[in-house]
Amino acid sequence: MEKFLSERVKNLATSQTLAMAAKARELRSEGKDVIGLSLGEPDFNIPDFIKKAAKDAIDQNFNSYTPVDGYTDLKNAIINKFKRDNNLIFSPSQIVVSTGAKQALYNIASVLINPGDEVILPCPYWVSYADIIKLKGGIPVEIKTNIENDFKMTGEQLKSAITNNTKMVWFSSPCNPSGSVYSSNELEEISTVLESFKNIFVVSDEIYEHINYKGGHISIGAFNKIKERTITVNGVSKAFAMTGWRIGYIGAPEWIARACNKVQGQVTSGANCIAQRAVITALNENPEKIKYMVDEFESRRNLILELLGNIIGFNCNVPDGAFYVFPDISFYFGKNINGFEIKNASDMSMFLLEKALVATVTGDAFGNPNCIRISYAASKEQIIKAVDRIKAALEK
Ligand code: PMP
Ligand code: GLU
């Protein structure tokens, strides 16, 4: 019966981060002790002050549909946050609250992409970008980067990827999956290239903004040259450990925000009301209040880099943010380990799942076939155990 599915959906890839997490869950339900390092999901509890705000909202009987683009006081909290943390100035009509940053990205694609439009993606990019773009008839255009340049595109590379069909550039900084953080100079260089291309828009995904070990996050939208053409995407899943609460948001030119609002009004009617109330409290707080999680992530990053450094053929950059390492494991391609042939990164990820009981994600999902992604949003004990198992499986 699957032949009746739309061509659009037949051509859509399954999210490999979610697929790997499901596979790990399935193996666990069969009694296997799988360590899940596939999903980018903080393992912290939600901070108590946010829990309390949600409980209060229930007791205060917040239960109705909210304005489609979010409660006014949430939009004001977002406006203050953008000003406080990012030097970005927005009015309420430029803010749209959505069901996760993922829906915010989907809205942007819905309102800006016409079939055949090209969207430039520096590789590696977050797993869902390419498929959201394709779902809207857009064409992802990849810019290859590598470990030597810290997986970051240069202005020169960007310029040579631009064609008459280029509509947008999408990227995340800190980057999922490489953890790379663009410096102020690098963002300035990108904005200088884009200055004269008045029909090209930038989608800046800043969901890992606070998980930045160097500090001092810079938003590309703060550069005057392209501020009128930048959509800044953010959310609470990562920094506030609120993945399941599903709140993301954008700050955008008003005409784009209005269009996203229109789409959302037909598709979801708006984000969950209790989660929105809780997020007002989260965003109004000083980010120092969640710094304990960032400090812990940094210490885990140092640990996992040190441990992976002892494994031959796991070549890592030093990620300055997010909570992933993205080792180049191409050293193993063409090798046979105990009857398991490793031809590519997907084989390596499967090998680690089956032989080391460690779930990771193949780099193919992020546009880089030489790497795998390992999330270190897990306890130190789990990280130590996982790397021990990986080492043992590879040494067999
Ligand atoms: N962008 C990036 C780079 C991400 O890693 C994620 C992870 N979920 C998202 C967007 C989507 O986040 P959300 O949970 O807010 O939908
Ligand atoms: N962003 C997380 C990840 O990359 C969560 C999974 C997802 O939303 O796809 O693993």
Side-chain angles (χ1 to χ4, degrees):
M1 295 298 269
E2 289 194 1
K3 67 175 185 210
F4 291 110
L5 290 172
S6 68
E7 291 309 314
R8 209 182 306 115
V9 164
K10 280 189 213 155
N11 292 329
L12 180 69
T14 300
S15 163
Q16 298 213 42
T17 45
L18 301 183
M20 241 350 210
K23 181 117 188 106
R25 243 180 258 131
E26 190 186 308
L27 289 173
R28 258 185 235 119
S29 73
E30 291 167 10
K32 300 212 169 104
D33 171 30
V34 174
I35 304 177
L37 303 185
S38 57
L39 200 57
E41 172 153 71
D43 57 328
F44 292 99
N45 291 328
I46 294 171
D48 285 343
F49 70 100
I50 303 176
K51 283 188 197 165
K52 179 172 182 314
K55 289 178 199 163
D56 288 349
I58 294 173
D59 290 339
Q60 289 160 13
N61 295 311
F62 280 94
N63 59 347
S64 313
Y65 288 125
T66 75
V68 170
D69 49 357
Y71 283 122
T72 305
D73 43 357
L74 174 54
K75 292 215 265 175
N76 287 334
I78 292 169
I79 288 169
N80 291 338
K81 174 256 163 314
F82 272 136
K83 192 166 163 210
R84 178 191 69 203
D85 303 338
N86 310 115
N87 202 17
L88 296 173
I89 307 299
F90 291 111
S91 60
S93 55
Q94 295 181 278
I95 306 293
V96 180
V97 178
S98 298
T99 304
K102 204 177 241 181
Q103 195 207 354
L105 290 162
Y106 185 84
N107 285 346
I108 296 164
S110 304
V111 308
L112 283 177
I113 296 178
N114 282 317
D117 284 348
E118 293 175 3
V119 181
I120 295 177
L121 301 180
C123 269
Y125 47 80
W126 182 49
V127 62
S128 293
Y129 291 170
D131 278 283
I132 290 177
I133 291 161
K134 285 193 250 171
L135 208 47
K136 296 292 151 190
I139 302 168
V141 174
E142 298 182 347
I143 293 182
K144 298 288 176 202
T145 69
N146 55 41
I147 206 163
E148 280 73 42
N149 52 25
D150 194 23
F151 295 113
K152 288 189 267 192
M153 70 172 159
T154 61
E156 203 53 49
Q157 282 181 302
L158 174 60
K159 199 165 180 182
S160 47
I162 291 173
T163 73
N164 287 337
N165 295 325
T166 305
K167 186 69 172 275
M168 283 189 272
V169 183
W170 284 30
F171 71 108
S172 60
S173 176
C175 172
N176 177 1
S178 68
S180 308
V181 178
Y182 282 83
S183 68
S184 181
N185 284 348
E186 288 159 345
L187 293 175
E188 165 108 57
E189 190 187 330
I190 292 169
S191 65
T192 303
V193 169
L194 294 175
E195 187 174 12
S196 55
F197 294 96
K198 305 285 185 211
N199 299 332
I200 300 182
F201 297 83
V202 177
V203 174
S204 178
D205 181 345
E206 304 182 13
I207 197 160
Y208 294 95
E209 153 186 30
H210 292 301
I211 307 170
N212 176 344
Y213 312 127
K214 282 191 166 165
H217 174 80
I218 309 279
S219 291
I220 193 165
F223 290 93
N224 279 333
K225 295 170 194 167
I226 51 162
K227 101 170 174 218
E228 300 300 329
R229 289 181 279 126
T230 300
I231 303 144
T232 305
V233 179
N234 212 322
V236 292
S237 285
K238 313 296 169 175
F240 296 94
M242 293 177 75
T243 47
W245 293 57
R246 313 303 306 123
I247 299 288
Y249 54 88
I250 58 165
E254 190 177 335
W255 58 276
I256 295 178
R258 229 184 298 124
C260 290
N261 189 12
K262 184 162 77 168
V263 167
Q264 199 160 279
Q266 295 286 20
V267 178
T268 65
S269 306
N272 174 285
C273 65
I274 302 302
Q276 286 195 48
R277 300 309 304 166
V279 171
I280 297 173
T281 301
L283 295 183
N284 280 338
E285 267 302 335
N286 187 320
E288 278 297 312
K289 199 138 181 181
I290 47 160
K291 178 96 177 3
Y292 67 96
M293 293 191 258
V294 181
D295 291 342
E296 176 61 22
F297 283 133
E298 183 174 11
S299 156
R300 293 174 188 181
R301 175 203 64 173
N302 296 342
L303 173 69
I304 197 164
L305 284 179
E306 188 190 326
L307 296 174
L308 289 175
N310 297 326
I311 302 184
I312 183 168
F314 270 57
N315 193 8
C316 295
N317 64 321
V318 177
D320 286 327
F323 35 60
Y324 310 100
V325 283
F326 198 58
D328 182 317
I329 44 82
S330 55
F331 167 84
Y332 289 96
F333 295 173
K335 295 196 165 57
N336 189 307
I337 307 176
N338 260 355
F340 200 114
E341 203 188 337
I342 297 183
K343 297 182 294 301
N344 50 41
S346 299
D347 289 343
M348 174 58 97
S349 189
M350 271 305 150
F351 170 82
L352 295 179
L353 185 61
E354 284 179 25
K355 304 295 177 197
L357 294 179
V358 176
T360 59
V361 185
T362 172
D364 288 301
F366 309 95
N368 184 320
N370 290 330
C371 298
I372 57 168
R373 190 190 76 174
I374 305 177
S375 161
Y376 54 86
S379 70
K380 285 185 177 150
E381 292 69 34
Q382 280 184 311
I383 292 170
I384 293 169
K385 197 162 154 192
V387 180
D388 271 353
R389 285 191 194 171
I390 293 175
K391 193 161 187 272
L394 290 168
E395 279 172 359
K396 264 192 188 155

